[in-house]
Amino acid sequence: MSKAILLIGMTGQGKSTYLKKLIDKSGRKAIIYDVNNEHNQGRHLPDFNEFLNRVTKVKGSLIAFEEATIFFSSKSSDKQMRELLIRKRHTNNLIILLFHSIRTIPIDIFDFVNYYVLFKTNDREAYLKTKYKDSQILEDYFTLKNKPNHSYIVRKTM
């Protein structure tokens, strides 16, 4: 089954651990583009555009992007990432995007994902109240604010 999931949280809250559990439970071949080299075990990271071209042809895999913010910062990779999210139904891929904060996620990306997993973030409340006024993610942010570290909320978006 094809899905797209956002994992959102500041460093040290459990995003990578959660990703590892998703990989284990999925039973799919995992393809991870990891700019921090946590999952690549020292292997050289391919050029991002080359990587995206390759994974858009892959079917039935789990494709994860650590530090997903950088993939939406340039026009060329932004377009390719959106295409990958749109085509997930046709490729039967599970796509997981990891972000450190809510504010760095392009707001329309929520239209392309099935779930988000929100951990604590260091987002500025005033900014979130403006950008995400009356939204579920804002409510979830405030729910987690006073919870212990490593707490999270899983929310269906579509």
Side-chain angles (χ1 to χ4, degrees):
M1 186 182 307
S2 64
K3 294 211 181 319
I5 302 170
L6 301 178
L7 299 182
I8 311 158
M10 62 188 178
T11 302
Q13 293 301 303
K15 295 182 308 296
S16 292
T17 301
Y18 196 93
L19 173 61
K20 288 174 187 171
K21 288 178 184 176
L22 285 174
I23 291 168
D24 290 343
K25 287 184 179 184
S26 77
R28 297 175 185 229
K29 177 185 176 191
I31 303 168
I32 302 171
Y33 195 88
D34 178 11
V35 296
N36 294 324
N37 214 11
E38 290 177 36
H39 302 276
N40 292 335
Q41 301 168 342
R43 291 187 305 265
H44 176 70
L45 214 56
D47 172 73
F48 179 66
N49 290 327
E50 174 189 320
F51 177 82
L52 266 181
N53 286 332
R54 191 177 81 220
V55 297
T56 54
K57 296 172 182 88
V58 171
K59 295 186 179 199
S61 295
L62 182 149
I63 304 169
F65 297 87
E66 286 269 5
E67 301 288 345
T69 305
I70 66 170
F71 307 120
F72 293 97
S73 59
S74 80
K75 289 194 187 283
S76 62
S77 60
D78 177 82
K79 182 179 177 187
Q80 287 178 290
M81 287 297 288
R82 289 169 195 277
E83 182 179 317
L84 184 66
L85 289 168
I86 291 167
R87 293 193 66 238
K88 72 182 182 298
R89 281 195 341 249
H90 304 289
T91 58
N92 193 32
N93 287 323
L94 172 57
I95 300 167
I96 303 172
L97 304 172
L98 284 81
F99 289 90
H100 279 105
S101 67
I102 300 167
R103 75 180 181 284
T104 59
I105 304 170
I107 199 159
D108 66 317
I109 292 304
F110 288 95
D111 295 335
F112 299 103
V113 299
N114 305 89
Y115 296 91
Y116 65 79
V117 181
L118 181 64
F119 295 82
K120 282 187 169 186
T121 70
N122 281 330
D123 285 291
R124 292 184 312 262
E125 291 178 22
Y127 180 81
L128 292 181
K129 286 178 180 177
T130 302
K131 185 175 180 182
Y132 294 98
K133 184 179 180 183
D134 301 323
S135 72
Q136 184 63 57
I137 197 161
L138 182 62
E139 183 179 318
D140 292 341
Y141 168 83
F142 283 108
T143 299
L144 285 172
K145 185 177 174 184
N146 297 316
K147 298 252 182 187
N149 283 347
H150 307 289
S151 299
Y152 60 89
I153 294 173
V154 178
R155 183 76 60 198
K156 186 172 174 70
T157 60
M158 300 175 89

